[in-house]
Amino acid sequence: MRLNPPQALLARCLRPMLAHPVLTCAFRPFFLLTAISGALLLLLWLASATPLPLFAWLRQTMPGGGTAWHAHELIYGYGMAAVAGFLLVAVPEFTQTPAFSRARAATLALLWLLARLAYLAAPIWPFGLGLWPALLCNLALGLLLAATVLPPLLRASGRGQSGFAWGLICLLPLQAGFFAASLMHGDGMRWLHAAVGALMALIIVAASRISMRIVNSRIHEGRLLDPLPETPLYLARPPRRNFAIFTIALCAALEFLQVAPTVLGWCALAACAAMLNLLNDWHVGRPLLTRWALMLYACYWLMALGYGLMGAHWLGLPGALSAGRHLLMIGGMGLSIFAVMCIAGRFHSGHWLDQRHWIPLSAIALCAAALLRAWAGLTASPLVQHLTLAASGLLWVAVFSAYAVYFWPILTRPRTDGLEGCAEPLSDGHGGASHQCG
């Protein structure tokens, strides 16, 4: 088909960009955006708490309030970038379908960036546009991502992939509800709190797939090899997993419906107990004692503690609600995203696992950030609260800045192992098979 001159010019301009190595696999730009936004969004939020006029406007003039912006951008900015990156690499693998195109990955990444800028510019849009550009860009991103990953997920045989589909399907209307409530001066945070529950359920679905691969492999020099004979195996048993997801979904739904605090409290404690019960699957002895398995294991612990504190608040403990919710977000979401990006980001770029010390140190820093932020919600001392808030935020920023620095050369350069696309590195004779990992 012959292109007209403007189309031909556009094609010539886009061709070098689409050929860039960062689009070798669709997850690459999104893992970078996740790390960079994780650091920048928190830095901007910390700076907005200072009296500096350059940043104070964020809390003072943002439509719907600065706290709503902060929560939305961590869930649907940072969190959605990680969800998109994971789904774009995992769905073709799990469903045995072709990888997504460079053009589709570039379009999604551009929409993600426009959505972040549109929300930041909400206080200064002319003609009273406010949140409308952010609404349109975010919904366009969500709908295009759904149109990209849902068809192969829904066509896949069996029910093993349905959890990913349902998680994404829940997140999109909750985001639409948030913007609708904000535009009508309603309670947008209700919708974001429900979205946290959807994210927690999605984390359990994703972690169950990845953790079985990690725990059940013998790791040697970063390579995942077959386990030794008679090694105990970890199985993410569906009954325990499904019950944990059910209690989390029920807790989110009841909070959204604003039922009696006592009912909410006992439901949150049930979610806590279900997460602790889920941990029993992990207790297989020595295979659990690797940095990779322990990171994913710690995510479940922090989620359990988060729901426990939320339940305690609704049953009468002051200040525990914010503490519990931040344990979910910083611990459950932040640590799981970091772990998955470290594992899948290297595997699907042709590298084996990174054995350097910065990864366990970063995981410890994220756990510390989660616990410090929880303590800030529980303490009655303003000075201690300010110090712990600052320390928690700076630890988070340091971790995702480190990820961006260490993974930039991996995600922005061509593969060095002779393979193409998202393939894992080949086994090199150490006795292991080249398995698949999402």
Side-chain angles (χ1 to χ4, degrees):
M1 180 177 66
R2 184 184 297 275
L3 299 176
N4 59 41
Q7 288 176 324
L9 178 61
L10 181 62
R12 284 198 298 273
C13 292
L14 292 178
R15 195 174 296 119
M17 290 188 286
L18 293 179
H20 194 281
V22 77
L23 295 173
T24 299
C25 191
F27 78 88
R28 287 190 179 203
F30 281 99
F31 279 8
L32 281 177
L33 290 172
T34 301
I36 293 169
S37 67
L40 291 182
L41 289 171
L42 250 295
L43 272 179
L44 189 55
W45 181 243
L46 291 174
S48 71
T50 68
L52 297 174
L54 181 63
F55 301 106
W57 61 268
L58 185 61
R59 293 178 186 252
Q60 298 168 1
T61 62
M62 183 64 71
T67 301
W69 170 85
H70 170 62
H72 177 275
E73 291 303 277
L74 281 182
I75 296 170
Y76 286 102
Y78 161 85
M80 185 59 83
V83 169
F86 176 80
L87 291 177
L88 289 172
V89 68
V91 168
E93 180 178 313
F94 293 163
T95 60
Q96 301 299 304
T97 52
F100 300 115
S101 68
R102 288 171 174 259
R104 180 57 59 92
T107 303
L108 287 166
L110 179 60
L111 280 173
W112 182 93
L113 185 59
L114 290 174
R116 310 284 67 77
L117 296 175
Y119 203 158
L120 268 179
I124 59 173
W125 283 117
F127 312 116
L129 288 175
L131 290 173
W132 280 102
L135 164 66
L136 295 175
C137 290
N138 276 285
L139 290 186
L141 168 65
L143 291 173
L144 184 59
L145 179 61
T148 301
V149 303
L150 287 183
L153 280 175
L154 297 176
R155 285 196 301 264
S157 59
R159 301 179 58 186
Q161 324 308 332
S162 61
F164 299 109
W166 283 113
L168 183 59
I169 288 170
C170 287
L171 284 170
L172 299 185
L174 291 173
Q175 185 181 42
F178 162 76
F179 278 113
S182 299
L183 287 167
M184 294 186 290
H185 307 288
D187 183 10
M189 294 300 294
R190 251 177 78 196
W191 299 85
L192 295 181
H193 293 158
V196 171
L199 266 179
M200 294 303 109
L202 195 54
I203 286 169
I204 293 173
V205 173
S208 67
R209 299 291 297 261
I210 297 172
S211 57
M212 282 196 291
R213 168 78 191 280
I214 293 296
V215 178
N216 293 333
S217 295
R218 178 167 49 93
I219 300 176
H220 176 72
E221 296 180 352
R223 294 166 173 80
L224 299 190
L225 311 177
D226 292 333
L228 295 172
E230 300 181 358
T231 299
L233 293 180
Y234 158 63
L235 297 176
R237 292 174 173 83
R240 284 176 171 164
R241 182 176 72 246
N242 293 339
F243 184 66
I245 292 172
F246 170 76
T247 56
I248 287 171
L250 180 62
C251 186
L254 293 178
E255 183 183 9
F256 181 81
L257 295 173
Q258 299 179 332
V259 302
T262 303
V263 176
L264 268 179
W266 287 112
C267 185
L269 291 182
C272 170
M275 290 303 303
L276 293 174
N277 183 48
L278 196 56
L279 288 170
N280 287 319
D281 287 339
W282 292 72
H283 299 153
V284 292
R286 192 172 184 84
L288 176 60
L289 303 179
T290 69
R291 65 176 69 177
W292 310 102
L294 287 174
M295 278 196 289
L296 296 167
Y297 179 73
C299 295
Y300 283 19
W301 263 107
L302 291 167
M303 289 168 65
L305 292 174
Y307 279 109
L309 280 176
M310 290 167 67
H313 168 84
W314 284 316
L315 292 175
L317 179 62
L321 182 59
S322 173
R325 214 178 306 272
H326 281 90
L327 278 176
L328 297 182
M329 297 300 292
I330 300 174
M333 182 181 73
L335 184 56
S336 63
I337 286 174
F338 176 77
V340 170
M341 292 200 307
C342 285
I343 295 167
R346 286 183 64 93
F347 275 168
H348 294 288
S349 298
H351 299 266
W352 291 106
L353 294 174
D354 193 331
Q355 296 299 293
R356 289 173 290 183
H357 295 305
W358 77 272
I359 288 181
L361 291 175
S362 295
I364 293 170
L366 276 178
C367 291
L371 295 173
L372 283 170
R373 183 58 185 83
W375 180 247
L378 294 171
T379 183
S381 167
L383 177 60
V384 173
Q385 187 177 65
H386 289 313
L387 290 175
T388 50
L389 282 172
S392 173
L394 291 175
L395 284 172
W396 171 284
V397 169
V399 168
F400 287 102
S401 297
Y403 182 93
V405 169
Y406 281 110
F407 272 79
W408 182 271
I410 292 173
L411 299 176
T412 61
R413 294 177 185 172
R415 295 178 63 123
T416 58
D417 61 349
L419 299 179
E420 297 180 355
C422 308
E424 291 187 9
L426 292 175
S427 174
D428 59 0
H430 285 267
S434 181
H435 303 286
Q436 297 295 312
C437 175

